[in-house]
Amino acid sequence: MTLSQEIEELISAMAENHAKSRYYRRPIVGYASAEDPLYDQLDKIIGNPQIHPRDMLPGARTVIVIFLPYSEIVYNDMKNGLLTSSVYSDAYM
């Protein structure tokens, strides 16, 4: 088993065993260069201050990127065109 497979299995197991796991689907895991020039633009793209990987861990070469998609439970609870719901708020927190 490769290191990336071990990392992905660990992240998936953490999500599956979380008390609120019903709110999420399987995590999507990716990897990026810690020196990617897009990190220098994140403040502008996102609209608030972000921490650059080199400031968090000088010398880092790779960043693990995790996306945790919401399950149908969360989407189905957002009714009548509302932008939020109690289930969404609980899942977000």
Side-chain angles (χ1 to χ4, degrees):
M1 180 179 294
T2 66
L3 179 58
S4 62
Q5 289 171 324
E6 288 185 47
I7 290 168
E8 291 167 29
E9 283 191 18
L10 175 65
I11 292 168
S12 290
M14 291 174 68
E16 290 170 11
N17 294 316
H18 191 277
K20 297 180 182 181
S21 63
R22 68 190 177 282
Y23 292 150
Y24 311 103
R25 290 181 279 156
R26 185 172 178 83
I28 298 170
V29 181
Y31 305 89
S33 169
E35 292 302 322
D36 189 313
L38 285 175
Y39 288 118
D40 295 323
Q41 301 173 33
L42 280 182
D43 290 0
K44 183 178 180 183
I45 293 169
I46 294 177
N48 32 6
Q50 304 296 307
I51 300 172
H52 196 293
R54 69 174 162 251
D55 297 330
M56 293 174 68
L57 187 61
R61 295 176 28 192
T62 303
V63 174
I64 301 172
V65 182
I66 303 168
F67 175 67
L68 190 56
Y70 292 123
S71 71
E72 292 298 316
I73 293 170
V74 176
Y75 293 114
N76 289 338
D77 192 62
M78 297 165 73
K79 302 172 189 161
N80 301 322
L82 297 175
L83 297 178
T84 190
S85 72
S86 59
V87 171
Y88 170 83
S89 296
D90 192 32
Y92 182 84
M93 294 311 287

